[in-house]
């Protein structure tokens, strides 16, 4: 009998270990695989039921509920056990209480008891629930026939007494456990999510040297490493001062990590957790990762509950909130009450639990700066900022090599120089951050391995071991092209010679062409100086195009974009065209949002703002507050994004001079002016002939003379600017082609191919008459 009693704890421990192993393997499965597994069981059970003649609806419901319980038991074992106790309590309750109202109140008592039981740590909550509900049910069964009120109050008192007793037992149990055993109990109770393998057991012993060595082994991040070493030195100095009897300041507890994605912020957060754990300032070295969706609920009030639950999970370790600025979402111009509630709750917990928790907020620097300034409490509690730089091409190559070694792969002899060139091209285009730095490298390594496998298998025969693990330049280039294809215009970027040839092919604009050629030469020389490590003055990035309408300003802006892209100074040659309505909102505040969204759309290319002087409308009494807000926002973004954006503002010369004089920042940032002259009659004739050729048409000789004479008359009368220069030539062509089509349609299909594509002098005269009537 005694041997049997001794065997029971061992048997329970073995059963618990087996259950934990099952849970661990379950969470090693991808989420999709888990869903597929449950789906197969559900469909299989229903299929078996159909074959055996069972009622399918109850079979489906019972199986579905059973699978839900299994999923709950694997993720939250304590909650599943408590649910079983509540189910038994609910099934037996009608035997003890007959009245409907009493049944409802007793059911609510059971739910309240279960919730309170889960707040009492160090003892099993299911057992606490059972010990509270059994006497409550017995008293209700005995006293309710005599008095309903006496039965309900007696049940509540019995449940409360049991909960108080279990609380006392829990405090005694906690006092008897060592610190290490307390952590083990908390992990076993499921306070942390066991879906992460490193949280399935007690924290391993970690020394400060081990944590710092892990930091030093990371590639790049020199300023980050220096700052983290300084933090560790401050903690050690504080500890030594305390041991010597001096007053020691409390070590920094909360941080802000700013920088582009894929620069190791999460990895460094894990190292920070290990450093504070090694110093004894945290109970565990674990990091709980979260985003806005993990904090914000679906209605006011639920957000505070959700945020508190998240903080409770992270207590004793580090809470890492990525893209923290998304907690304050003002994209629609309205206050984000849900995000504000999450921020307020987070601030309170950051202060209340500062001795047991480190919170790290992470995201892009610009967005995080705005986020921290949105609430004074954020700036004061998150005062330590760690900046993460983008990876250099050489560092990206090192990361690639490391990722391949972890996979058991390697690069061919000529692959490294080629890949370094691709990384340098990405850096010149300013795409490193958009691609995701180290995340891009991981995707590249996986895609290159897949390309290699396809190549090796497709070659036939028996590949050697070397073939199976070596990625070639072709494999890496193919993977690189696939991953960058999502960036518009990346692969289609022209060469500098092609861009300038397109410019030279335009009719007229001789002074404009000379100036653009000079700009291209200056950019080329600056790039060569930079590559050789010579001092390089900052290059012009923003332009003012002045001149009448229809003189090719938009077309030349596209050429400018292609030149910058060809030299690697822009990610793509695309031009985003805009006017006042695209920047100015309907109320103050919305204008800045609208302007920022437009700039974000143009990042990596050219933003072309036509009739830019309309942004400041002097006709408004008291000034144009909306336009001024757009200009201020545009100036700030033009400076902040000068390495990723070219801004071209265009319009009539006199109006643009007045616009530039309204703000000193405009004149200083847009100091490169290109003046577009009106077209001459010869140039307008050339434009019309080229446009006709593009559509497969031609003017006969007499039509060309008529066309030229019309343009001479318009230019002599100085009406060409009002008519739109090149736009007038296009309109005249379109009208003449339409008059030809009307004339030929009357012939009833007897026109020849030459007649169908030829515009005559009569067609041109008819077109001029129509346009004159307008």
């Amino acid at each position: 009998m005694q041997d049997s009693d001794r065997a029971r704890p061992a048997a329970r421990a073995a059963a618990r270990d087996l259950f934990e192993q099952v849970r661990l393997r379950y969470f090693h499965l991808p989420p999709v695989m888990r869903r597929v597994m449950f789906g197969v069981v559900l469909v299989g059970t229903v299929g078996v039921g159909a074959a055996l003649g069972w009622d399918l609806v109850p079979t489906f419901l019972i199986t579905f509920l059973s699978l839900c319980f299994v999923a709950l038991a694997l993720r939250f074992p304590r909650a599943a056990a408590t649910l079983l106790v509540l189910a038994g309590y609910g099934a037996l309750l009608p035997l003890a209480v007959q009245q409907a109202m009493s049944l409802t109140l007793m059911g609510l008592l059971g739910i309240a008891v279960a919730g309170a039981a889960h707040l009492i740590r160090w003892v099993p909550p299911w057992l606490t629930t059972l010990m509270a509900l059994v006497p409550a049910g017995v008293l209700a069964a005995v006293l309710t026939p005599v008095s309903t009120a006496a039965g309900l109050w007696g049940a509540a008192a019995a449940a409360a007494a049991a909960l108080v007793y279990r609380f006392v037992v829990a405090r005694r149990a906690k006092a008897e456990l060592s610190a290490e055993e307390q952590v083990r109990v908390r992990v076993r109770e499921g306070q942390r999510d066991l879906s992460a393998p490193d949280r399935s057991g007690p924290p391993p012993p970690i020394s400060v040297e081990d944590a710092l060595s892990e930091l030093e082994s990371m590639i790049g991040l020199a300023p980050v490493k220096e700052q983290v070493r300084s933090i560790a030195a401050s903690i050690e100095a504080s500890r030594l001062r305390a041991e010597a009897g001096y007053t020691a300041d409390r070590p920094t507890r909360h941080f802000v990590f700013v920088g582009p994605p894929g620069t190791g912020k999460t990895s460094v957060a894990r190292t920070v957790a290990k450093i504070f754990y090694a110093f004894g300032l945290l109970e565990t070295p674990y990091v709980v990762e979260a985003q806005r969706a993990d904090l914000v609920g679906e209605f006011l009030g639920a957000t505070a509950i959700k945020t508190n639950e998240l903080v409770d999970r992270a207590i004793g370790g580090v809470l890492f909130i990525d893209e923290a600025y998304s907690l304050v979402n003002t994209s629609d111009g309205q206050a984000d009450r849900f995000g504000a509630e999450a921020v307020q709750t987070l601030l309170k917990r950051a202060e209340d639990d500062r001795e047991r928790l480190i919170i790290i907020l992470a995201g892009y620097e610009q967005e995080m700066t705005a986020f921290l300034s949105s609430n004074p409490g954020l700036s004061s509690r998150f005062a330590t900022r760690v900046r993460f730089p983008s990876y250099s091409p050489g560092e990206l190559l090192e990361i690639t090599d490391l990722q391949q070694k972890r996979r058991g792969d390697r690069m061919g002899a000529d692959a490294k120089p080629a890949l370094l060139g691709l990384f340098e091209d990405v850096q010149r285009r300013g795409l490193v951050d958009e691609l995701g730095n180290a995340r891009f490298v991981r995707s590249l390594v996986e895609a290159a391995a897949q390309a290699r496998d396809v190549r090796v298998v497709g070659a036939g025969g028996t590949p050697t071991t070397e073939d199976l693990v070596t990625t070639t330049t072709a494999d890496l280039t193919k993977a690189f092209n696939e991953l960058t294809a999502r960036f518009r215009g990346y692969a289609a970027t022209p060469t500098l010679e092609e861009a300038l040839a397109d410019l030279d092919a335009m009719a007229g604009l001789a002074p404009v062409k000379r100036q653009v050629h000079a700009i291209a030469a200056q950019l080329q020389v600056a790039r060569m100086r930079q590559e050789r490590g010579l001092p390089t003055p900052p290059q012009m990035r923003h332009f003012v195009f002045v001149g009448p309408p229809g003189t090719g300003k938009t077309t030349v802006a596209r050429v400018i974009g292609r030149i910058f892209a060809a030299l690697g100074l822009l990610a793509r040659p695309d031009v985003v065209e805009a006017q006042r309505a695209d920047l100015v909102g309907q109320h103050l505040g919305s204008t800045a949002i609208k302007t920022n969204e437009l700039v974000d759309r143009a990042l990596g290319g050219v933003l072309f703002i036509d009739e830019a002087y309309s942004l400041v409308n002097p006709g408004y009494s008291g000034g144009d507050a909306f336009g001024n807000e757009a200009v201020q926002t545009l100036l700030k973004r033009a400076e902040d994004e000068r390495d990723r954006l070219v801004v071209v503002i265009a319009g009539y010369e006199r109006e643009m001079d007045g616009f530039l004089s309204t703000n000193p920042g405009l004149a200083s940032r847009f100091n490169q002016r290109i003046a577009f002259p009106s077209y001459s009659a010869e140039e307008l004739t050339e434009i019309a002939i080229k446009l006709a050729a593009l559509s497969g048409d031609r003017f006969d000789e007499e039509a060309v003379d008529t066309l030229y004479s019309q343009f001479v008359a318009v230019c002599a009368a100085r009406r060409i600017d009002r008519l739109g220069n090149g736009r007038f030539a296009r309109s005249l062509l379109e009208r003449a082609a339409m008059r030809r089509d009307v004339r030929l349609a009357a012939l009833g299909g007897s026109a020849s191919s030459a007649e169908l594509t030829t515009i005559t002098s009569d067609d041109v005269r008819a077109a001029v008459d129509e346009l004159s009537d307008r």
Side-chain angles (χ1 to χ4, degrees):
M1 190 70 177
Q2 292 177 350
D3 291 341
S4 176
D5 292 339
R6 284 196 299 268
R8 286 174 187 168
R12 283 198 298 269
R16 185 165 58 250
D17 290 342
L18 178 61
F19 177 69
E20 293 298 332
Q21 290 176 12
V22 171
R23 290 182 71 199
L24 192 59
R25 293 187 179 183
Y26 170 77
F27 283 113
H28 278 165
L29 294 174
V32 175
M33 183 63 69
R34 298 177 211 160
R35 298 189 192 101
V36 170
M37 182 175 65
F38 282 127
V40 169
V41 173
L42 181 61
V43 172
T45 304
V46 172
V48 171
L52 298 178
W54 297 346
D55 192 342
L56 294 185
V57 174
T59 301
F60 175 84
L61 291 175
I62 293 172
T63 306
F64 179 76
L65 292 174
S66 300
L67 290 174
C68 289
F69 179 77
V70 169
L72 178 67
L74 288 170
R75 186 170 288 277
F76 302 110
R78 297 186 303 155
T82 305
L83 184 62
L84 282 179
V85 174
L86 282 178
Y89 171 76
L92 296 174
L93 194 57
L95 300 178
V97 180
Q98 304 298 323
Q99 296 179 1
M101 180 61 71
S102 298
L103 276 173
T104 302
L105 293 175
M106 289 296 292
L108 292 176
L109 176 65
I111 295 173
V113 166
H118 276 263
L119 297 177
I120 302 175
R121 295 174 180 168
W122 317 112
V123 291
W126 68 268
L127 185 56
T128 302
T129 305
L130 182 64
M131 293 179 65
L133 292 182
V134 167
V138 171
L139 276 177
V142 172
L143 297 178
T144 299
V146 179
S147 169
T148 302
L152 293 175
W153 283 109
L163 290 174
V164 170
Y165 168 73
R166 291 294 286 175
F167 178 76
V168 173
V169 171
R171 299 293 294 180
R172 190 182 305 126
K174 178 182 178 181
E176 293 174 355
L177 292 175
S178 66
E180 183 177 341
E181 288 172 329
Q182 288 181 21
V183 172
R184 187 182 299 114
V185 170
R186 287 168 63 183
V187 173
R188 187 175 66 240
E189 286 180 346
Q191 185 183 18
R192 291 184 173 81
D193 185 4
L194 288 183
S195 61
D198 61 337
R199 299 178 192 170
S200 59
I206 299 174
S207 67
V208 178
E209 291 74 16
D210 291 339
L212 290 175
S213 297
E214 183 178 312
L215 176 69
E216 293 299 330
S217 66
M218 296 181 186
I219 295 171
L221 304 179
V224 176
K225 293 175 181 177
E226 182 178 356
Q227 194 165 355
V228 174
R229 284 195 298 267
S230 299
I231 293 170
S234 298
I235 297 173
E236 177 65 13
S238 178
R239 184 185 66 82
L240 293 174
R241 282 196 298 271
E243 289 180 354
Y246 295 99
T247 302
D249 296 331
R250 187 177 72 242
T252 301
R253 304 299 300 192
H254 306 307
F255 302 89
V256 178
F257 285 3
V258 294
T263 48
K265 292 189 288 291
T266 308
S267 299
V268 173
R270 297 189 182 112
T271 300
V272 168
K274 291 176 182 177
I275 290 173
F276 275 78
Y277 170 71
F279 276 113
L281 300 174
L282 287 178
E283 298 174 14
T284 70
Y286 300 139
V287 176
V288 173
E289 301 175 31
Q291 291 183 329
R292 175 186 168 96
D294 301 303
L295 290 92
V296 175
E298 297 179 355
F299 53 87
L300 288 176
T303 294
I305 296 172
K306 202 170 183 180
T307 302
N308 277 316
E309 288 177 348
L310 178 68
V311 173
D312 287 339
R313 279 215 324 273
I315 285 291
V318 170
L319 175 59
F320 179 83
I321 304 176
D322 200 11
E323 296 181 357
Y325 48 82
S326 63
L327 288 176
V328 179
N329 190 344
T330 57
S331 60
D332 58 355
Q334 303 295 323
D336 183 3
R337 292 183 297 165
F338 297 93
E341 184 181 5
V343 170
Q344 291 297 336
T345 307
L346 192 66
L347 283 174
K348 186 176 186 306
R349 295 300 300 272
E351 182 63 24
D352 294 346
D353 297 300
R354 63 184 180 276
E355 301 297 335
R356 307 171 59 202
L357 176 70
I358 290 177
I359 300 177
I360 298 176
L361 307 179
Y364 290 100
E365 182 163 14
Q366 183 178 341
E367 287 83 349
M368 287 301 296
T369 300
F371 170 62
L372 293 173
S373 64
S374 67
N375 189 310
L378 285 169
S379 300
S380 61
R381 288 179 178 83
F382 295 86
T384 302
R385 182 174 299 201
V386 181
R387 289 180 173 83
F388 287 70
S390 303
Y391 286 112
S392 68
E395 290 167 347
L396 291 174
L397 187 64
E398 286 186 62
I399 295 171
T400 306
D401 198 35
L402 180 62
Q403 292 276 355
Q404 286 203 315
K405 286 179 180 177
R406 289 175 179 172
R407 292 174 54 94
D409 296 339
R410 71 176 193 85
M411 279 185 276
D414 59 341
K416 282 190 177 182
L419 184 59
L420 181 60
L422 293 175
F423 285 147
E424 289 173 345
D425 185 51
V426 165
Q427 186 186 49
R428 279 195 301 270
R429 293 171 183 259
L431 275 177
V432 174
D433 296 341
E434 288 189 63
L435 287 169
N437 286 278
R439 297 177 192 170
F440 171 65
V441 170
R442 183 169 61 247
S443 300
L444 180 66
V445 168
E446 294 171 355
Q450 186 178 24
R452 176 203 61 208
D453 295 342
V454 171
R455 172 178 56 80
V456 170
V457 173
T462 304
T464 64
T465 303
E466 192 73 10
D467 293 334
L468 293 172
V469 299
T470 303
T471 53
T472 64
T473 302
D475 299 329
L476 289 164
T477 302
K478 180 181 178 182
F480 182 88
N481 292 335
E482 288 176 353
L483 293 173
T484 55
R486 64 189 177 92
F487 292 93
R488 292 175 294 125
Y490 191 98
T493 299
T495 63
L496 180 62
E497 292 72 20
E498 290 171 339
L500 293 175
D502 290 341
L503 174 70
D504 293 334
M506 295 176 65
L509 303 180
V512 174
K513 292 175 181 177
R514 286 195 299 270
Q515 197 166 353
V516 173
H517 273 275
I519 291 170
Q522 192 173 8
L523 292 173
Q524 276 183 292
V525 171
R527 176 177 168 182
M528 288 187 289
R529 290 175 58 146
Q530 187 178 15
E531 289 174 347
R532 299 179 188 182
L534 299 173
T536 306
Q539 303 302 306
M540 75 287 290
R541 301 286 296 202
H542 309 309
F543 302 86
V544 179
F545 287 3
V546 295
T551 49
K553 293 189 288 293
T554 306
T555 304
V556 173
R558 295 192 183 104
V559 171
I560 291 286
R562 299 176 74 190
I563 290 172
F564 272 80
L567 293 173
L569 300 173
L570 285 179
R572 47 187 175 265
D574 301 333
V575 176
V576 173
E577 301 177 35
Q579 291 182 330
R580 175 186 168 98
D582 300 303
L583 291 91
V584 175
Q586 297 180 349
H587 55 81
L588 287 176
S590 66
T591 292
I593 295 170
K594 202 169 184 180
T595 303
N596 277 317
E597 288 176 349
L598 178 68
V599 172
D600 288 339
R601 232 174 44 238
L603 279 182
V606 175
L607 175 59
F608 179 82
I609 304 175
D610 200 10
E611 297 180 357
Y613 46 80
S614 64
L615 287 176
V616 177
N617 194 333
Y620 292 155
S621 61
D624 184 2
F626 298 93
N628 288 330
E629 184 181 7
V631 170
Q632 291 297 337
T633 306
L634 184 66
L635 282 175
K636 186 177 187 307
R637 294 300 300 275
E639 182 63 26
D640 294 345
E641 310 291 352
R642 59 178 293 108
D643 295 329
R644 305 169 62 196
L645 179 70
V646 169
V647 181
V648 178
I649 54 177
Y652 290 102
E653 185 168 10
R654 183 167 58 86
E655 286 83 349
M656 289 301 295
D657 288 340
F659 171 60
L660 294 172
S661 65
T662 62
N663 189 311
L666 284 169
S668 63
R669 287 179 178 83
F670 294 87
N671 56 2
Q672 183 71 21
R673 175 181 294 222
I674 300 179
F676 287 71
S678 302
Y679 285 116
S680 66
E682 292 83 357
E683 292 166 348
L684 290 169
T685 304
E686 182 184 353
I687 290 171
I689 292 173
K690 286 184 176 181
L691 289 174
L694 289 175
S695 58
D697 291 334
R698 57 177 289 273
F699 294 94
D700 64 20
E701 292 185 6
E702 187 178 354
V704 171
D705 293 338
T706 304
L707 196 66
Y708 175 70
S709 64
Q710 293 296 329
F711 286 140
V712 168
V714 170
C715 290
R718 295 187 177 181
R719 295 173 53 210
I720 191 61
D721 290 346
R722 185 167 58 85
L723 290 172
N725 284 279
R727 296 173 193 167
F728 174 64
R730 179 185 295 276
S731 299
L732 190 58
L733 166 66
E734 292 171 350
R735 289 282 176 173
M738 185 175 67
R739 297 315 307 167
R740 175 205 58 197
D741 296 342
V742 171
R743 174 172 53 80
L744 294 178
L747 299 178
S750 60
S752 65
S753 298
E755 290 175 324
L756 291 171
T757 58
T758 302
I759 298 173
T760 67
S761 177
D762 292 337
D763 299 328
V764 174
R765 289 193 185 93
V768 171
D769 292 339
E770 285 189 13
L771 291 174
S772 298
D773 293 339
R774 292 178 59 194

